[in-house]
Amino acid sequence: METLNFPIDVSGLQSTLHPLLQTIKSSPIIDTLKPSTTADSVAVLLFLLSALGYLTRGRVWDRPDPNYKIYFERPQLVDGESSSKTAATRNIAQCLEDGSYQAVIFWGSQSGTSERFAEILARECLIHFGIRALAADLSDYDAESIAAIRGTHFAIFILSTYGEGDPSDNAAGLWDWIKRVKEENTKLDSLRYLALGLGNSNYKYYNRVLDAVVQVLDAAGATTLVPSRRADDARGATEEDFQSWKDDVFALFRRMGYEEKSVEYQPTVKVELRAAPDPQNDVAHQISVHHQQSSTNSAILPLPVKNARELFTAGDRNCIHMELDLGNNDIVYKTGDHIGIWPCNPDEEVQRLLHALGLEARRSDALEVSPLDGSAKPKVPSLTTLEAALRHHLEICSLVSRKTALDLAQFAPTPEAKTMILEIGEDRERYAQLISTTHVTLARLLQLASPTAPWTSLPLSFVIENVLPLQPRYYSISSSSVISPRRIAITALVVNKALPGKTGSTIQGLTSNYILSASKLPSNASIPTPSFQHTAYDNMESGRVFAHVRKSKFKLPITSSTPLILISAGTGFAPFRAFLAERTKLHAIGKPVGKILLFFGCRSAHSDFIYREELEKMQNSLGDKLEIVTAFSRDGDKKVYVQDRVEEYAGEILEMLDAGANLYVCGKASMAREVDGKIEEAAATVKGLGETEVKAWTDGLKKRGKWKADVWG
C-alpha cells in the first residue's frame, strides 16, 4: 500500500504551542480548574484539543492548496488561453454587432411557451428569409443596453403575464428598466420593435406586461413595426394567435425587401425505429424527460388509488373525490400544496394516430431519438417504444395548430389530401370554423384529409417536433397533511365540453377523464369514458396514477386565532376542505380558533353541493366560529353567484380584513376577478379611496400575505 506523507512544520507547531502552555501554567485560576474526577479530566482534555485544533488550522492542517483554483478552470481551455477569460457580454447591442445578427427576439417566460415561440421564430426567420435573429433570455442581458440597439437592427419581444399582472421571473430586469425609462423620460428614438404578449383574458390583469412595455416604448419614441398582438389562452388560441402574428411579421419582412425562400422540411432530431423487445426501463421515472425533483417538486411516482367516491348527487356530470396512498416513499406534502397528475393518452387516440401513420404493426418497436444539433430538446426518452412515446410523452390529444397543418401538406399521401390540408392551413377562417365545431387532434386531421390512405411519408421526427410534450395538470390538494399525512385527496370535476354544430364533437378533458377511469366509478355523461392504462408495469395492479407534489404558498396562517375569509366556487372548495378540517381539529382539542367566513357557490344545492355532509359536521363542531354563505346559480328564478354574495357581505369582509383576517380565493380566474372587483368597490365606498389608493390597499394586503389566490383559467 502506498504511504501518503503530509509535511508538518514542526517549528511552526512549537512556536504556536509554547505561548499557549505558558499562559495555562501562569494562569491564577489554574488551581481552581484542576480536575477532581475522570469526567472533569476528559472535559479539560477535549477543551485543550479543541483549542489546539483551532490555533493550528491553516498551519499544520487544512492548509490552503496553492493549486486550488485549477479545480474551477474550464477543462476545454487550450494552451495559451487564460483561465480568467471573461464571459460573453451582457450588452445586447454589442452582442448583435459581434454576432452579425439583424434582430434579437427577447423572451420572458414562466412556463416555457414564450421561449418556445422565440426559438421557432428565430429558426424560421433564418430558413425563410436569411435573417439572423438571436433568441435571447431577458435575464442574460442588461436591459439598459436595449437603448443602444442601432436603427439598422430591430428587437422583438415575446412576453408572458402571470399571476397579478406580474412579469416572468426572467423579465424582472426589463420590468425595472421600463419603469426607469418612464420616470427618467429616456429617449429611444432609434429603437425599432415588434411585440407579442401571452396571457389569459379570464385574469384581472390580462397581458398587463405587454401593455406596460409597449406604452413606455411608444412614449419614449420607439417605432413599432407591426401592431402588437395579445394572445389569449382563455380561448385556447395561444398557438393560433402566435401564428397569425407571425404571418404579419413575415409580411413585414417581405415589404422590407427580404426574399422569402421555400424550404424543405429539415428535422432537428434523428428518429430510428428498430425491432426489439420492449425496453425494461423504469417508466415511472420517464413520464417526463424534463421534470426534475427539486425543493419545489417531488419525484414522479405511481401512487395507488385507495378510495374514490362520487360527490355529485344528480345530473350528467361527475365530480370525483380520490385518495392516493403515499405509502413508504419519500413524497411529503403540506396543507395547501398542489398535486400534479401525469395522465396518459387514451387507447383510442393512440390507436387512431398509429393507424393514420400506418405504423400499427410497429407499435412495440424500439424508438431511438437523438438531437441533430445542440438546441434540440428531447421530448421522449431513448430507448422507449413507439406506443409508449405516443401514450406517455406527447400531447397527441391537443388541438393541432394551423402552422402544423400547413407544414403537413408536403407529406400528404394523395393530391386530394394535400389540397384539403393546404386549404385548412392557409385560410384562417376555414381553420377557425373547423376547430370551433370539431376537436381536431393530429390523428383526426390526418384521417379527415385522407380517410383511407395512411401517411407513410410523414416522418416520425416531424410528429415529435410538432406535438407538445405531455404536461401534468395541477389540482389543489383537498386533504390536511396534519390529519392525513400519508394520503392525498383530490377533488376533480370531469370535463366533457360539447362543441356546437352537427358533428356532435366533444372535447373530453384528458386528465379528469383519466382520473374518472382510475376511480372505476360509473360515468354520468351520455358519452363513453375513454379507456386508459393506469400502470406502466405488467406486474402492477391497476388503479395507480402517476403524480408528484408541488409546493404552494397558499397556506394557513401560523396562528390559529387569525380570522379567515374563504371564497370559492365548485371544486375551488378543495383546499378549504383541508383548511377547515385543521381548524376543526384544533378547536376540538381546545386551541383558540379565529372566526371563519366561508363563501361557497355551485349550480344547485340538490345536485352539486360537494362535501355538504362534511361541512355540516364542521359547522356543528365549530359553532359560531364558522359562518357559511352559499350561492346557487340554478336554484330558483334568480341566478346567484359567489361574487353577488361577496358584494352583500362586503362590509363584514372589510371589517375582518381591518381586524387582521386572511382572505383566500380559490376557483376559476373569472370568478376571482369578479370577487376582487366587488371587494375593491366596497373599499372605495366605505374607506373613501380613489382608484390608485384602492390598488395600493389591495397590493399591500397581497404583499403581506393577507390576500391569497389559487386560481386557474
Side-chain angles (χ1 to χ4, degrees):
M1 179 181 294
E2 181 181 0
T3 302
L4 300 179
N5 296 314
F6 295 92
I8 298 177
D9 185 356
V10 178
S11 61
L13 176 61
Q14 290 175 340
S15 63
T16 300
L17 292 179
H18 184 71
L20 173 64
L21 294 173
Q22 291 300 320
T23 301
I24 294 174
K25 289 180 180 179
S26 61
S27 173
I29 61 171
I30 192 66
D31 292 337
T32 63
L33 296 178
K34 289 182 179 179
S36 58
T37 66
T38 301
D40 290 342
S41 299
V42 172
V44 171
L45 178 61
L46 291 175
F47 169 77
L48 291 174
L49 289 174
S50 298
L52 177 63
Y54 176 78
L55 292 172
T56 58
R57 182 181 182 185
R59 300 187 182 188
V60 178
W61 67 282
D62 196 27
R63 291 189 297 173
D65 183 351
N67 299 313
Y68 181 70
K69 64 180 185 299
I70 294 177
Y71 297 130
F72 300 96
E73 290 184 357
R74 298 179 181 179
Q76 67 268 29
L77 290 178
V78 297
D79 293 339
E81 285 187 301
S82 170
S83 62
S84 61
K85 184 177 180 180
T86 56
T89 178
R90 289 185 58 83
N91 185 312
I92 187 59
Q94 186 64 47
C95 185
L96 294 180
E97 296 287 348
D98 294 345
S100 299
Y101 292 104
Q102 291 124 299
V104 56
I105 307 172
F106 290 115
W107 55 265
S109 183
Q110 200 70 13
S111 63
T113 304
S114 294
E115 179 183 7
R116 179 168 59 86
F117 285 168
E119 292 172 350
I120 290 173
L121 183 59
R123 184 168 62 250
E124 294 191 5
C125 282
L126 180 62
I127 63 176
H128 288 291
F129 295 94
I131 297 175
R132 281 176 52 80
L134 173 65
D137 182 338
L138 277 163
S139 64
D140 287 342
Y141 300 91
D142 296 325
E144 292 82 358
S145 64
I146 295 175
I149 295 177
R150 294 170 50 190
T152 53
H153 299 79
F154 53 91
I156 301 175
F157 298 90
I158 303 179
L159 306 171
S160 63
T161 299
Y162 80 103
E164 298 294 322
D166 300 317
S168 58
D169 292 341
N170 75 311
L174 174 71
W175 196 242
D176 292 339
W177 175 67
I178 284 293
K179 293 178 182 177
R180 291 196 299 274
V181 169
K182 182 177 181 180
E183 293 169 356
E184 300 169 6
N185 294 317
T186 304
K187 294 301 179 183
L188 303 172
D189 296 332
S190 65
L191 180 64
R192 301 188 301 164
Y193 79 95
L194 308 89
L196 171 70
L198 308 186
N200 187 310
S201 60
N202 286 330
Y203 286 78
K204 182 178 180 180
Y205 298 103
Y206 169 56
N207 261 312
R208 175 177 175 239
V209 173
L210 172 77
D211 294 343
V213 170
V214 167
Q215 182 181 16
V216 171
L217 293 181
D218 289 348
T223 302
T224 178
L225 301 177
V226 169
S228 302
R229 186 183 291 268
R230 308 161 96 205
D232 187 6
D233 195 47
R235 300 182 292 107
T238 298
E239 294 282 341
E240 174 58 20
D241 289 338
F242 167 67
Q243 180 62 34
S244 298
W245 173 77
K246 184 159 64 71
D247 289 346
D248 294 340
V249 173
F250 285 0
L252 167 72
F253 293 162
R254 289 189 288 269
R255 293 195 302 271
M256 294 172 69
Y258 290 100
E259 181 181 353
E260 186 171 9
K261 305 171 185 176
S262 178
V263 295
E264 295 183 354
Y265 167 66
Q266 298 176 358
T268 60
V269 294
K270 179 182 178 182
V271 179
E272 291 183 328
L273 263 183
R274 52 186 176 81
D278 292 349
Q280 298 299 312
N281 292 334
D282 188 354
V283 182
H285 295 87
Q286 293 186 18
I287 293 303
S288 168
V289 293
H290 295 301
H291 178 85
Q292 297 292 329
Q293 184 174 356
S294 65
S295 59
T296 303
N297 295 304
S298 75
I300 305 171
L301 291 176
L303 302 178
V305 178
K306 289 300 183 181
N307 179 34
R309 68 179 189 271
E310 175 62 53
L311 296 176
F312 286 170
T313 57
D316 58 357
R317 301 185 302 159
N318 291 87
C319 188
I320 307 300
H321 171 91
M322 176 181 286
E323 294 177 10
L324 302 177
D325 186 14
L326 296 181
N328 296 321
N329 60 57
D330 294 333
I331 294 182
V332 295
Y333 79 100
K334 297 294 183 183
T335 304
D337 283 347
H338 300 140
I339 184 167
I341 302 296
W342 292 81
C344 64
N345 291 305
D347 298 333
E348 296 86 348
E349 198 67 22
V350 174
Q351 176 60 29
R352 183 180 287 120
L353 185 52
L354 287 170
H355 178 74
L357 296 173
L359 293 173
E360 290 173 285
R362 307 199 66 181
R363 64 194 310 145
S364 298
D365 283 3
L367 181 70
E368 187 169 358
V369 182
S370 56
L372 291 175
D373 59 66
S375 63
K377 295 181 180 179
K379 295 180 183 178
V380 300
S382 287
L383 295 166
T384 188
T385 64
L386 174 59
E387 181 177 358
L390 300 182
R391 187 181 301 280
H392 293 290
H393 298 283
L394 299 173
E395 290 269 9
I396 65 171
C397 289
S398 62
L399 192 69
V400 67
S401 69
R402 184 165 61 87
K403 171 64 166 57
T404 300
L406 191 61
D407 291 342
L408 279 169
Q410 60 190 302
F411 307 112
T414 65
E416 295 78 12
K418 183 174 184 177
T419 300
M420 174 178 283
I421 289 291
L422 284 174
E423 288 177 355
I424 294 172
E426 293 175 345
D427 191 333
R428 297 184 190 181
E429 294 184 1
R430 171 78 184 274
Y431 173 79
Q433 175 63 27
L434 177 64
I435 64 173
S436 68
T437 58
T438 307
H439 184 56
V440 186
T441 63
L442 175 62
R444 294 176 187 182
L445 180 62
L446 299 180
Q447 289 186 336
L448 178 66
S450 179
T452 56
W455 291 64
T456 53
S457 298
L458 179 61
L460 277 174
S461 57
F462 181 94
V463 175
I464 293 174
E465 290 168 344
N466 286 274
V467 178
L468 296 175
L470 195 62
Q471 296 291 326
R473 275 64 165 178
Y474 288 99
Y475 293 83
S476 298
I477 295 175
S478 54
S479 55
S480 163
S481 59
V482 174
I483 298 171
S484 179
R486 302 310 297 163
R487 284 215 180 173
I488 288 179
I490 305 172
T491 307
L493 176 68
V494 180
V495 178
N496 293 298
K497 180 183 177 182
L499 294 173
K502 299 179 181 180
T503 60
S505 182
T506 301
I507 302 176
Q508 293 182 285
L510 176 64
T511 308
S512 60
N513 277 282
Y514 171 74
I515 290 173
L516 174 60
S517 176
S519 73
K520 300 183 180 179
L521 294 169
S523 172
N524 294 330
S526 58
I527 56 176
T529 302
S531 56
F532 297 89
Q533 287 188 6
H534 292 283
T535 174
Y537 300 114
D538 293 335
N539 60 349
M540 184 184 292
E541 69 271 21
S542 61
R544 296 196 179 212
V545 297
F546 288 101
H548 78 274
V549 169
R550 181 181 70 180
K551 289 185 178 179
S552 165
K553 295 181 180 179
F554 200 70
K555 302 294 186 184
L556 281 168
I558 297 175
T559 307
S560 62
S561 59
T562 301
L564 304 177
I565 304 165
L566 312 178
I567 304 173
S568 65
T571 55
F573 177 69
F576 298 156
R577 175 181 182 263
F579 287 6
L580 290 170
E582 281 198 16
R583 284 294 172 92
T584 302
K585 181 69 173 180
L586 290 172
H587 180 70
I589 62 176
K591 297 291 184 180
V593 172
K595 179 180 178 179
I596 305 171
L597 178 60
L598 169 68
F599 293 87
F600 172 73
C602 62
R603 293 184 179 182
S604 170
H606 308 292
S607 60
D608 53 359
F609 192 157
I610 61 175
Y611 300 113
R612 183 171 186 171
E613 293 182 359
E614 289 186 20
L615 197 53
E616 290 173 350
K617 291 180 180 179
M618 293 176 185
Q619 174 76 83
N620 292 334
S621 177
L622 291 169
D624 59 4
K625 293 289 184 180
L626 174 60
E627 181 179 0
I628 302 174
V629 181
T630 55
F632 305 112
S633 61
R634 299 193 183 182
D635 277 355
D637 298 331
K638 184 180 179 181
K639 294 184 176 181
V640 180
Y641 296 98
V642 169
Q643 54 266 32
D644 300 323
R645 301 293 272 163
V646 167
E647 184 177 23
E648 292 177 30
Y649 283 77
E652 185 175 350
I653 291 173
L654 293 177
E655 288 179 6
M656 291 181 67
L657 287 173
D658 290 340
N662 279 20
L663 184 146
Y664 299 84
V665 183
C666 188
K668 288 188 176 180
S670 55
M671 178 274 294
R673 185 184 64 232
E674 294 291 335
V675 166
D676 284 6
K678 298 299 183 183
I679 297 176
E680 289 172 354
E681 289 173 10
T685 302
V686 174
K687 296 177 178 291
L689 303 177
E691 183 178 347
T692 303
E693 295 169 315
V694 168
K695 188 177 186 308
W697 175 73
T698 57
D699 287 348
L701 289 171
K702 291 172 182 178
K703 287 180 180 178
R704 298 198 307 273
K706 305 297 289 183
W707 184 329
K708 297 176 181 286
D710 187 3
V711 300
W712 56 87

